[in-house]
Amino acid sequence: MAQVTKGPASGIGATIGYGTPAGKVDQALEGVPEDQILTLTLNGEEVKARRGETIMEVCHRQDTYVPHYCWHPGLSIAGNCRLCLVEVEKVPKPVIACQTQVSPGMVIKTASEQAKASQEWMMEFLLVNHPLDCPICDRGGECQLQRYSMEYGTSHSRMVDKKRKYIKPQADPLIDIERNRCIMCTRCVRFCDEVGGEHVMGVFARGNDNYIGTFGQGPVSNIFSGNVIDLCPVGCLTSKPFRFKARVWELKQTQTTCTQCSSGCKITSWTRNERLYRTTPPSRQRHDHFTINEDTEEFICNQGRFGSDFPWHDSRQHESMVRRADRLVPAPFDDAVAQASQSLRGVIEKHGGEAVAVLISPRATSEEGLLARKLARDAIGTWSVDWRVNQQSAEAADAVSAALKAADGDLESEPDVIIVVNGDIVHQSPVLALRVQELGRRFLKKIVMLGHHHDAYIADHSTLRFHNAPGQTAKVLELLGNVVSGSASVADLASVLSRAEEDVQELVDTIRTAQSGVVVQSLQDFNGRYASAEVPAGGALRAALGETWGWLPVVGERNAVGLNALDCEPGEHGIAARNLLTAISDGRIKGLVVLGADALQPLGNEELVTGALANLETFILADPFESEFSRHATVFFAQAAPQETDGSAFDIEGNVALVKSGVDLPGDARQGWLILNALGRLLAESGFDAGSVEDAWNQVRTELAPESAATLADLELEGSTNPAHFVVRKPQGGARNRASEYNPGNYRTDGLHVRSRSFEAPSVASAKAKDAAAANEGFLMTWGPHVSGRGYLQDRASIAEMLLPKPFLEVHPRDAAELGVKSNQFAVLHVNGRRAKVGIKISKGPAQGTVYMSSGVYGPFDAAENAGPVEVKIEPLDELVPDQGEALMTAEGATESH
Amino acid sequence: MLEILKDRTGEIERLIEKYPSRRSAMLPLLWIVQRQEGWVSQESMKEVAEILGVTVAEVYEVVSFYTMFQQKPVGKFHLALCDTLSCAICGTHEIVAYLNEKYGIEKNKVTEDGLFSLELVECIGACANAPALLLNEDLITNLTPANIDAMIAGCRQKAGAPAATA
Amino acid sequence: MPEVAEWERVLLPDIEKNETEWLADYVRKGGYDVARKALDMEPEAIISEVKESGLRGRGGAGFPTGMKWGFLPKGAFPRYLAVNADESEPGTCKDRPLMEQRPHTLIEGIICSCLAIESEMAFIYIRGEYYNGAKILDRAVEEAYREGFLGSNIFGREGRKLDLVVHRGAGAYICGEETALLTSLEGYRGYPKLKPPFPAISGLYGKPTIINNVETIVNVPFILKNGADWFKKWVHERTTGLRLYSVSGHVKKPGVYELPPTVTLKELIHDYCGGMRNDHDLKFVIPGGSSVPWLKPDQIDVPMSHEGVAAAGSMLGSSAVMVCDHTVCPVWALANLSHFYKHESCGQCTPCREGSGWLYKIVRRIEAGDGQPGDLETLYSLAGEGTPGSGMISGKSICALGDAAAWPVGSAIKQFREEFEEHIQLGKCPYKERNISYWMAEGRFVNESFAGTPVP
């Protein structure tokens, strides 16, 4: 394993990473004006620092570790744990390093007698009420309290009195709260407020008896909530699914990337033998071992963290099978390959190669994609290979392909302005949305929201918001491009947006004065229904914006960028995935090869799909599970699940990363690239000679980055400084805007939240009761997919039901006022003659007159059944969504009586 | 959609307008709730959250921080008796014992008739007239068993309850 | 003994009457004339007059008011004035009569102060327990608005405006800490903010803010009316002006006394307050509110100025004098105060949250007779000498509440070490039985369950 730094070496976090490699010190001050640099003395050594930096930042850049609990580089400064007290000469009291800004000539001592005594005393205070039950604590082995006790504490406690005891709430299905162990650092509270997007966790009661929790013992309801587990420096917040399953030091850690969505987060798989125990952000080296870095800024979403254990579902199939008469019987892998090639050959000879189609899961690695394409084109002789199974139509799929090919934008360059077009990105590619939000929240970049539906999570930190009616987005984008390039007037755009001209002028000025920018355009709404119109419009806007801008179209599929770049698509000659069922029923397709049955499921309801499969002459399926689909297979290959596969994949910004299996495959299961390679070898004379995944990777690399000599192993190195790193992107015109620095002044320093509260709270005066039945009709409902929604793989996760989003209908605040509904109130939704009971959520997302629902949520409104936004009627019920909590809150506090 | 505060929207809007930030109306709103309801229920916290555009967790953080907000129903006459040094050395516990023995009013409990509840609180700023208590919103100072009798009798009369049977 | 009548009383001349002076009365006696005059003064002139007077904050810290005003950054607007009427330091009860009896003097003081600091919006943060004070202020503010003394175009001056909001707290000592007062006013838990930045730079809503105590503000119109030299008539070293002393506890006539800083603690107790109740012996005095170090009877012949009390080893603080006679067990008294600080710590930072709880547990245990050898050493290391910066808590917390929790402990042990040790050795409080006999002799109400004076 190559040297790994303790802090993040890439991405936004890199600017304040610590434990940095040599050269970082100079790098950090590079380009900083001379008058902004000052000199100070740190532990006897003269060092330079930027004006406005805190002592903590300087220390960490200088590799001087200052202990801390409440301070976290990605959160606002709370200054409450007082563990980072250090001595500053001429200051009578010790000061906290996390908040105190450096000044010229400052003499800082982090290990003087005064500093060490202060740190030791704070440790003693923190242990006064902390139970000494490490042997039964799930944090044992990776606990910062344990570690600091050894490094900064004393060996004995003088506390002889009874310790404080709290009632243990059962607040969240995923996160266990053990308040007795809490040290009140409030990292979790700040995380939920700042990164999670909603202040759902809080500090309750006061003083010595205060405690953390949620209102009414409700869940920690945000898609990033699992990160509070890693952020918690002690054993207070632990993972319910992982609790007591294993001690961390017994597990094998594998550095890989998540296979759930296009964010492609770096993760660590914690495994033993053939089982995954937990998924966390990347672990880092500390001294001689690897552990979760409690200062990590590489937050991951709950789907990635908790939803990745689907390979261990009961329906897992360990053996390959071949059809004997009416039954599938287990067969050795080689026999299965032989039988598959034989039956495919039969179809090809009878109907021609064109009668065979190859479908590939969008989660497939690039190696699998490349081999699938070669299998189709070179071995079988068909154009029909496709990964785009989620798009609404072949046209929409083509638009997505075109957009991905033309994409040239990323967030890593920290653009001045981010235009976010449409979409519920936080539920489609969560960490991408997090990074956009972070640019607004921490780096004070300007975020502009356009389209018929705004990502409510990002909108919290946006500067300008313009809604338009569904179907109008393409027009708005085009017009905006024209206004910026001078060929249309502000008035034109203002009239389309139904907004005042000065508002629109502000938008145009914001764009014109930006040094750099990126258009983040979601193509996922109604599964891309409007993509065919909006993609060209997005492209036109990007062209009008000029050299320093980039375009980042967003889809949620894991390896969309890689599979698109490798051309695993049918083009104009083949049959697109979306048309496959029709092509089977009208006899154009007689044979089908599917890598991952999750590629079949989105094509239609089960009856439709299995009906089509029954009509095939041959159906070769590689998949981890036994399912309705596998029953129709001619040959079934027990395949490795996505996270059991080795290879590479691209994130939505075009960065390549390693996917690495941490487990032993069960039974006779094989990785997908191996199955495709074996099959190809029997069908074609050459081209299928990959003896290892490294060989397959070399083929990918040769095709996408011929100048690179990187090995797959090289990809394990982090980030863009890695020579092996390459991006499938046209170079972006603008200079990389790396100068922007994290400024602690961006945060309120009092530990309170930093979010602008521009929420349009319903004015109580206007909260009139609904007057007539007409008020609740005529809403347009739009929807988009959800990363934790129903799905072939998602449903097989052990706690799928817990991750499944609740059926909430997002309603515009003014519409809610008109309807007389409030958040958490039930309503009956009438759509296409059907009725469903949903919860109301007042949200910034939908435009007035429209409502939004995650399509992953609710069967009757599945995108597969509805072609576009539909008119719905909302009938409020006089009933509230029950709180998940049980006991009266007052019973939650400290039980100790005075 | 407000239930508890629905008749007070005008008052609330005027109140909110006084402040440069909507959220500053947090304590005043909670006072309105407590004055009307006698305590601050979970439901009312939700309404306050809705009015201010914050999460209900944020409201609960505030409610649970300030000890004058009652999170459980209290008696019609709530006695907040000071127990910090100046009062304590002048007979707070004499008063507690008297209330307990003569009237059956116990600390942190509501009497069965729902009339009285007693809470020992920290300094209420009447140190020079110790011991002192707050009878709902009225400050009663220089407490002695004798003026306690008068106070309780007054409360009972107000509530139309029969005089004490002590 | 000097006659009380000999002393000029300015702030509360008729405190005994306990009547509210409403607008009509106030104006008839020349009220708001100073505010009119101040409207024509340059802000710097007002500030320099206040600086010259030597007026120091009356909330506890005693910071020079004029100097505080001078910290405001030039050209940064809006600015806010927050009047600290949270008066929550145990023993202190001087601002309540000020607000209840002279609300318009306070409002006039606010107008003058806002003119000095060029603020157009002021808040009075009044503690929740002062229901009556808040009602009176609400009505007085309404009167002033109606009369055109507040609002836009005040006193008929085009473009001069001042809004005043009475904001009620809800039971949190910490909100008397100036930055906690601001977070509370912003609608949050009353958490003190990290300093720097100080509120004069970034305070309420992130804007420059001045926080002054009620009594401080009330003094401003008198200073502007009579001049700085008049104010300096009453002087002891660097403490000027008449001052309200709240005297509580075991004296014959507890109350609020308006006196010059030259008055000694001894005079205050034995002359003005008529001496010890029941002619008991004086055990100890807390001279400046519950947070300050205790003084023994032989230390009380000192002037009640910042300098005078400091020389005796304590602090003038909020000039609240708590007098305890020989029936008061110092260990019990300390447990009472430690409970107060444990209860009132905001819980934000480690040393104060954990330290205040730990201190209370130990002191309470000693008082209950379960003291152990070593307890006093632990207490000492936690609380230090009762001086700033010593011990494990003082100087390590976000605000001064940590110090306030520690100082009484340090000083009580220093003053009464033998009694603490006696508790530990005996395994009980030696005062209890003795006190019951006292009280029974005095005809006080004592019942079976009432053995001594337990802490809640």
Side-chain angles (χ1 to χ4, degrees):
Chain A
M1 173 101 210
Q3 197 187 3
V4 174
T5 56
K6 275 188 281 177
S10 69
I12 292 159
T15 48
I16 46 166
Y18 67 89
T20 44
K24 190 68 199 283
V25 176
D26 302 329
Q27 214 179 10
L29 297 173
E30 201 181 308
V32 177
E34 200 56 35
D35 62 341
Q36 291 298 305
I37 293 183
L38 47 84
T39 309
L40 52 94
T41 309
L42 174 61
N43 293 340
E45 205 179 311
E46 198 165 279
V47 300
K48 287 197 177 345
R50 194 168 42 82
R51 212 169 273 278
E53 273 186 304
T54 62
I55 295 177
M56 184 73 91
E57 289 169 88
V58 175
C59 285
H60 281 172
R61 193 172 56 234
Q62 297 290 337
D63 250 342
T64 303
Y65 191 84
V66 178
H68 56 272
Y69 287 121
C70 67
W71 181 80
H72 183 282
L75 302 174
S76 60
I77 296 168
N80 64 29
C81 75
R82 314 304 282 181
L83 208 72
C84 66
L85 285 169
V86 297
E87 181 177 347
V88 173
E89 261 183 25
K90 298 201 186 100
V91 179
K93 299 192 278 189
V95 302
I96 47 171
C98 66
Q99 194 251 351
T100 310
Q101 295 186 2
V102 290
S103 55
M106 202 179 224
V107 181
I108 305 163
K109 297 171 181 171
T110 66
S112 67
E113 217 166 278
Q114 188 201 52
K116 278 162 106 173
S118 304
Q119 291 158 5
E120 185 185 306
W121 292 339
M122 295 310 123
M123 280 310 297
E124 184 167 12
F125 280 133
L126 290 174
L127 289 168
V128 161
N129 280 302
H130 190 93
L132 299 177
D133 60 354
C134 301
I136 58 153
C137 175
D138 207 48
R139 185 72 71 182
E142 51 182 13
C143 174
Q144 219 176 336
L145 197 64
Q146 274 184 329
R147 183 161 75 88
Y148 283 2
S149 290
M150 307 301 286
E151 290 176 28
Y152 304 97
T154 50
S155 54
H156 72 287
S157 167
R158 295 181 292 170
M159 169 77 176
V160 294
D161 295 281
K162 243 173 40 195
K163 296 196 176 197
R164 189 172 54 212
K165 286 259 191 312
Y166 291 102
I167 288 166
K168 184 177 163 78
Q170 293 303 325
D172 191 274
L174 305 169
I175 302 160
D176 187 88
I177 299 186
E178 180 55 83
R179 287 174 181 148
N180 294 339
R181 299 197 184 113
C182 180
I183 57 163
M184 298 306 298
C185 69
T186 68
R187 278 178 164 205
C188 53
V189 175
R190 284 174 285 143
F191 176 85
C192 288
D193 186 50
E194 294 162 19
V195 184
E198 214 184 7
H199 196 112
V200 287
M201 289 192 77
V203 178
F204 305 128
R206 187 174 75 195
N208 202 256
D209 297 337
N210 64 3
Y211 58 92
I212 56 149
T214 51
F215 177 80
Q217 305 198 355
V220 186
S221 54
N222 71 66
I223 195 167
F224 300 112
S225 66
N227 291 294
V228 301
I229 296 166
D230 309 323
L231 285 170
C232 182
V234 296
C236 174
L237 302 174
T238 50
S239 162
K240 269 191 185 158
F242 175 66
R243 255 165 85 79
F244 307 134
K245 296 279 193 316
R247 280 302 196 180
V248 289
W249 56 83
E250 304 166 344
L251 298 177
K252 175 178 145 196
Q253 299 171 42
T254 305
Q255 313 295 340
T256 175
T257 33
C258 180
T259 60
Q260 300 273 7
C261 83
S262 61
S263 294
C265 301
K266 296 255 175 13
I267 53 167
T268 294
S269 289
W270 299 69
T271 58
R272 193 164 61 195
N273 302 331
E274 54 188 51
R275 201 164 168 97
L276 174 77
Y277 281 79
R278 68 170 181 178
T279 305
T280 67
S283 59
R284 299 290 182 225
Q285 190 166 21
R286 173 174 290 135
H287 306 308
D288 56 343
H289 68 291
F290 274 70
T291 182
I292 297 178
N293 174 11
E294 60 281 337
D295 289 343
T296 186
E297 291 177 77
E298 297 163 284
F299 301 129
I300 62 174
C301 74
N302 284 358
Q303 182 62 24
R305 180 185 298 268
F306 299 114
S308 295
D309 65 347
F310 52 80
W312 295 275
H313 189 257
D314 288 345
S315 63
R316 184 70 191 257
Q317 186 63 41
H318 295 198
E319 309 295 332
S320 295
M321 294 189 290
V322 295
R323 187 161 292 279
R324 295 265 184 273
D326 273 352
R327 289 185 333 121
L328 280 171
V329 294
F333 178 71
D334 290 343
D335 291 1
V337 175
Q339 174 123 1
S341 74
Q342 194 185 350
S343 84
L344 275 174
R345 215 181 275 281
V347 175
I348 297 165
E349 279 164 11
K350 201 160 143 201
H351 306 285
E354 290 296 324
V356 179
V358 177
L359 263 192
I360 179 161
S361 158
R363 298 191 193 220
T365 60
S366 300
E367 290 69 23
E368 289 170 338
L370 180 69
L371 285 165
R373 188 200 74 197
K374 285 170 72 174
L375 181 74
R377 303 245 175 99
D378 307 344
I380 298 170
T382 177
W383 285 102
S384 303
V385 55
D386 210 352
W387 61 273
R388 304 161 309 169
V389 293
N390 290 318
Q391 279 62 31
Q392 186 74 37
S393 63
E395 294 71 35
D398 286 344
V400 166
S401 298
L404 293 175
K405 284 231 159 61
D408 60 354
D410 63 41
L411 299 174
E412 217 171 306
S413 54
E414 295 175 21
D416 283 350
V417 173
I418 304 106
I419 299 178
V420 183
V421 184
N422 279 352
D424 185 19
I425 299 173
V426 72
H427 292 136
Q428 291 151 13
S429 192
V431 170
L432 186 80
L434 188 153
R435 291 178 55 214
V436 175
Q437 185 252 31
E438 187 179 39
L439 285 173
R441 172 172 55 85
R442 268 178 71 192
F443 296 85
L444 307 184
K445 306 295 183 188
K446 289 190 172 137
I447 299 177
V448 176
M449 313 290 295
L450 299 177
H452 69 260
H453 182 263
H454 295 173
D455 186 314
Y457 172 76
I458 298 173
D460 254 343
H461 296 274
S462 62
T463 40
L464 292 168
R465 298 173 55 206
F466 297 88
H467 268 123
N468 55 257
Q472 290 283 304
T473 309
K475 195 170 171 190
V476 168
L477 298 184
E478 224 162 295
L479 208 46
L480 178 61
N482 292 344
V483 174
V484 171
S485 60
S487 59
S489 75
V490 168
D492 296 343
L493 185 54
S495 82
V496 173
L497 290 169
S498 313
R499 287 282 286 271
E501 273 186 44
E502 63 251 40
D503 291 355
V504 177
Q505 188 63 51
E506 197 185 341
L507 165 69
V508 174
D509 292 345
T510 302
I511 292 171
R512 281 202 181 127
T513 53
Q515 304 242 321
S516 62
V518 65
V519 179
V520 179
Q521 183 177 1
S522 168
L523 304 180
Q524 299 257 295
D525 281 30
F526 334 124
N527 295 26
R529 176 176 155 77
Y530 287 135
S532 35
E534 287 170 4
V535 165
L541 173 63
R542 190 256 164 277
L545 290 170
E547 283 289 279
T548 60
W549 281 69
W551 187 26
L552 178 56
V554 178
V555 292
E557 287 87 349
R558 171 63 186 97
N559 196 16
V561 169
L563 298 174
N564 171 266
L566 289 163
D567 202 21
C568 304
E569 291 165 7
E572 53 195 58
H573 311 294
I575 293 164
R578 201 24 85 174
N579 295 336
L580 190 66
L581 298 188
T582 325
I584 294 172
S585 67
D586 63 20
R588 280 179 289 152
I589 293 294
K590 297 287 185 190
L592 180 63
V593 180
V594 175
L595 192 76
D598 55 318
L600 277 173
Q601 198 224 20
L603 296 182
N605 66 35
E606 200 175 276
E607 207 180 321
L608 219 59
V609 176
T610 51
L613 295 178
N615 287 335
L616 289 167
E617 284 179 22
T618 187
F619 170 37
I620 314 295
L621 175 64
D623 191 59
F625 306 108
E626 188 185 3
S627 64
E628 282 305 307
F629 308 125
S630 70
R631 274 171 217 147
H632 297 271
T634 316
V635 177
F636 176 88
F637 292 106
Q639 192 204 349
Q643 59 271 55
E644 296 169 324
T645 303
D646 296 318
S648 66
F650 290 81
D651 65 23
I652 193 65
E653 292 176 89
N655 300 297
V656 69
L658 181 74
V659 180
K660 196 175 170 193
S661 165
V663 295
D664 307 332
L665 284 179
D668 200 23
R670 306 285 162 111
Q671 299 193 357
W673 67 270
L674 210 144
I675 298 168
L676 292 168
N677 193 61
L679 199 53
R681 198 175 292 169
L682 292 189
L683 287 169
E685 286 178 5
S686 66
F688 293 91
D689 44 11
S692 67
V693 71
E694 191 74 43
D695 293 344
W697 153 255
N698 278 329
Q699 295 176 24
V700 171
R701 182 181 51 75
T702 315
E703 193 156 314
L704 296 179
E707 70 289 352
S708 166
T711 66
L712 202 51
D714 286 342
L715 286 183
E716 248 180 331
L717 280 166
E718 290 278 312
S720 51
T721 48
N722 169 9
H725 178 89
F726 61 81
V727 181
V728 196
R729 275 289 133 101
K730 284 192 216 141
Q732 197 176 343
R736 295 236 148 185
N737 182 19
R738 273 307 201 162
S740 58
E741 278 289 342
Y742 162 64
N743 173 7
N746 291 356
Y747 285 126
R748 287 176 56 168
T749 51
D750 51 13
L752 300 170
H753 71 69
V754 294
R755 190 143 29 102
S756 67
R757 292 287 178 174
S758 55
F759 183 76
E760 300 161 64
S763 140
V764 287
S766 70
K768 55 168 184 167
K770 60 182 170 89
D771 41 14
N776 55 17
E777 278 179 28
F779 286 100
L780 273 185
M781 187 169 83
T782 66
W783 57 84
H786 193 295
V787 71
S788 303
R790 294 253 174 241
Y792 182 80
L793 297 177
Q794 288 95 315
D795 288 352
R796 284 173 162 78
S798 59
I799 55 165
E801 289 302 318
M802 288 184 202
L803 295 170
L804 198 65
K806 304 277 176 294
F808 272 98
L809 188 70
E810 292 185 31
V811 183
H812 189 277
R814 277 194 287 272
D815 289 337
E818 292 262 305
L819 282 164
V821 292
K822 59 182 172 187
S823 281
N824 288 316
Q825 187 179 345
F826 273 124
V828 176
L829 186 62
H830 299 259
V831 47
N832 290 348
R834 298 191 196 176
R835 292 149 47 91
K837 193 170 165 186
V838 296
I840 297 289
K841 186 170 160 195
I842 297 175
S843 156
K844 294 172 175 180
Q848 207 173 349
T850 69
V851 292
Y852 179 87
M853 196 160 200
S854 244
S855 82
V857 171
Y858 225 62
F861 313 117
D862 209 319
E865 290 185 47
N866 294 303
V870 289
E871 257 189 45
V872 296
K873 182 178 155 190
I874 301 158
E875 188 190 319
L877 294 175
D878 199 15
E879 187 186 345
L880 292 176
V881 179
D883 292 329
Q884 265 86 7
E886 60 260 52
L888 193 72
M889 282 172 297
T890 43
E892 275 185 70
T895 55
E896 176 200 42
S897 60
H898 314 125
Chain B
M1 200 180 65
L2 304 174
E3 300 287 340
I4 298 164
L5 293 170
K6 66 168 179 265
D7 296 332
R8 316 194 65 146
T9 51
E11 181 187 347
I12 290 168
E13 277 305 307
R14 278 195 302 281
L15 187 84
I16 290 171
E17 276 166 21
K18 289 206 280 187
Y19 295 94
S21 140
R22 197 174 179 92
R23 179 157 180 160
S24 279
M26 178 80 83
L27 292 185
L29 274 182
L30 292 167
W31 274 121
I32 288 177
V33 170
Q34 176 146 315
R35 199 170 262 181
Q36 178 183 310
E37 303 289 301
W39 65 297
V40 184
S41 63
Q42 292 202 20
E43 288 312 310
S44 57
M45 288 184 221
K46 287 178 190 166
E47 292 196 4
V48 170
E50 196 187 338
I51 294 168
L52 296 179
V54 300
T55 64
V56 63
E58 285 171 284
V59 178
Y60 184 42
E61 282 191 315
V62 171
V63 170
S64 61
F65 185 86
Y66 297 94
T67 47
M68 287 183 80
F69 293 129
Q70 303 294 343
Q71 296 178 52
K72 282 187 289 196
V74 292
K76 188 170 166 53
F77 300 99
H78 182 65
L79 311 178
L81 178 60
C82 175
D83 188 34
T84 310
L85 196 58
S86 292
C87 282
I89 59 174
C90 291
T92 294
H93 293 274
E94 198 178 333
I95 302 300
V96 174
Y98 188 73
L99 283 169
N100 188 350
E101 194 145 292
K102 179 151 183 193
Y103 295 102
I105 301 172
E106 283 177 79
K107 198 175 101 179
N108 298 335
K109 276 190 187 143
V110 185
T111 52
E112 272 175 29
D113 55 10
L115 280 187
F116 297 100
S117 51
L118 172 66
E119 181 187 6
L120 290 192
V121 297
E122 299 296 352
C123 184
I124 59 174
C127 320
N129 307 87
L133 63 77
L134 279 165
L135 168 67
N136 292 345
E137 302 195 353
D138 298 323
L139 180 65
I140 316 278
T141 56
N142 300 314
L143 296 171
T144 59
N147 61 17
I148 287 281
D149 288 342
M151 178 187 86
I152 298 280
C155 292
R156 288 183 173 282
Q157 199 181 5
K158 233 183 191 170
T165 50
Chain C
M1 168 185 167
E3 286 301 313
V4 170
E6 280 177 35
W7 295 97
E8 188 179 352
R9 292 191 293 175
V10 175
L11 303 177
L12 284 169
D14 299 313
I15 184 170
E16 296 82 3
K17 285 192 196 152
N18 196 15
E19 282 170 359
T20 305
E21 185 180 47
W22 296 108
L23 186 101
D25 272 348
Y26 186 61
V27 168
R28 197 163 45 242
K29 292 179 197 158
Y32 287 106
D33 285 351
V34 183
R36 271 199 195 86
K37 176 181 151 195
L39 272 166
D40 292 323
M41 291 171 76
E42 286 297 317
E44 290 75 29
I46 307 178
I47 296 180
S48 75
E49 193 69 31
V50 171
K51 258 187 195 159
E52 181 56 34
S53 76
L55 174 64
R56 292 167 72 174
R58 297 291 165 85
F63 196 83
T65 306
M67 195 195 281
K68 197 187 226 180
W69 292 358
F71 289 153
L72 288 166
K74 298 257 175 303
F77 297 98
R79 295 164 170 183
Y80 296 110
L81 173 71
V83 180
N84 188 343
D86 195 62
E87 185 164 63
S88 40
E89 179 79 4
T92 319
C93 50
K94 64 188 176 65
D95 292 340
R96 184 166 54 82
L98 266 180
M99 290 184 286
E100 289 181 358
Q101 298 178 26
R102 309 207 63 180
H104 284 288
T105 318
L106 175 60
I107 295 174
E108 187 170 14
I110 290 170
I111 297 172
C112 297
S113 307
C114 282
L115 290 171
I117 63 169
E118 299 174 73
S119 160
E120 294 185 337
M121 183 147 201
F123 299 87
I124 302 175
Y125 186 98
I126 181 168
R127 63 181 307 193
E129 290 86 348
Y130 287 178
Y131 289 98
N132 194 35
K135 279 177 203 159
I136 288 168
L137 282 177
D138 272 337
R139 186 175 146 193
V141 167
E142 207 184 303
E143 283 185 330
Y145 263 101
R146 213 181 307 132
E147 209 63 25
F149 298 161
L150 290 173
S152 16
N153 306 328
I154 52 173
F155 298 94
R157 304 295 180 93
E158 196 65 35
R160 308 297 290 269
K161 62 180 269 202
L162 175 60
D163 282 307
L164 176 58
V165 177
V166 179
H167 188 92
R168 294 183 58 213
Y173 168 72
I174 190 63
C175 293
E177 198 278 345
E178 57 178 15
T179 56
L181 184 149
L182 299 182
T183 41
S184 176
L185 190 45
E186 288 167 351
Y188 295 89
R189 296 161 66 80
Y191 278 176
K193 301 185 188 196
L194 301 173
K195 284 163 281 190
F198 290 93
I201 309 294
S202 170
L204 192 60
Y205 311 119
K207 302 285 186 275
T209 305
I210 293 293
I211 301 110
N212 284 134
N213 173 260
V214 169
E215 190 189 339
T216 315
I217 293 285
V218 167
N219 269 304
V220 172
F222 291 104
I223 292 168
L224 295 185
K225 185 177 165 191
N226 302 314
D229 287 338
W230 167 83
F231 194 75
K232 287 193 285 189
K233 272 201 306 198
W234 305 284
V235 61
H236 181 262
E237 300 198 5
R238 284 178 293 107
T239 311
T240 55
L242 292 177
R243 159 183 300 268
L244 297 175
Y245 295 94
S246 326
V247 187
S248 61
H250 294 148
V251 290
K252 286 204 172 94
K253 292 189 289 177
V256 176
Y257 292 85
E258 185 173 356
L259 291 163
T262 43
V263 67
T264 66
L265 183 51
K266 194 173 180 180
E267 287 165 353
L268 191 57
I269 294 170
H270 290 291
D271 300 341
Y272 291 91
C273 296
M276 298 301 290
R277 188 184 289 184
N278 298 329
D279 295 321
H280 284 174
D281 296 334
L282 176 62
K283 179 89 183 179
F284 62 94
V285 189
I286 308 177
S290 63
S291 308
V292 307
W294 302 0
L295 295 178
K296 276 183 154 176
D298 59 352
Q299 294 173 294
I300 64 170
D301 201 5
V302 289
M304 284 297 280
S305 65
H306 288 289
E307 295 75 17
V309 183
S314 185
M315 280 173 279
L316 180 59
S318 59
S319 51
V321 179
M322 300 159 98
V323 183
C324 293
D325 70 15
H326 68 273
T327 64
V328 178
C329 166
V331 183
W332 171 85
L334 182 63
N336 182 291
L337 291 183
S338 290
H339 180 270
F340 174 83
Y341 289 106
K342 166 193 182 305
H343 187 259
E344 298 299 336
S345 164
C346 80
Q348 190 182 190
C349 73
T350 304
C352 178
R353 178 186 66 242
E354 302 298 338
S356 65
W358 195 6
L359 283 175
Y360 170 69
K361 277 178 184 170
I362 300 174
V363 177
R364 182 79 191 84
R365 188 159 45 72
I366 298 174
E367 199 275 331
D370 293 325
Q372 299 177 1
D375 276 347
L376 291 185
E377 281 60 46
T378 307
L379 281 178
Y380 237 147
S381 73
L382 280 165
E385 306 274 323
T387 49
S390 75
M392 290 163 63
I393 303 170
S394 180
K396 280 82 185 171
S397 49
I398 291 176
C399 77
L401 196 141
D403 305 51
W407 290 342
V409 179
S411 93
I413 299 178
K414 200 156 94 187
Q415 299 280 35
F416 296 105
R417 187 164 190 123
E418 344 52 75
E419 304 213 11
F420 279 82
E421 280 164 354
E422 191 186 0
H423 277 74
I424 296 173
Q425 276 157 12
L426 288 177
K428 65 175 181 178
C429 174
Y431 282 74
K432 282 188 178 163
E433 289 149 35
R434 209 163 65 207
N435 282 349
I436 288 183
S437 60
Y438 271 121
W439 291 331
M440 291 184 107
E442 286 168 14
R444 288 171 67 174
F445 184 91
V446 181
N447 71 0
E448 289 286 312
S449 66
F450 182 51
T453 43
V455 179

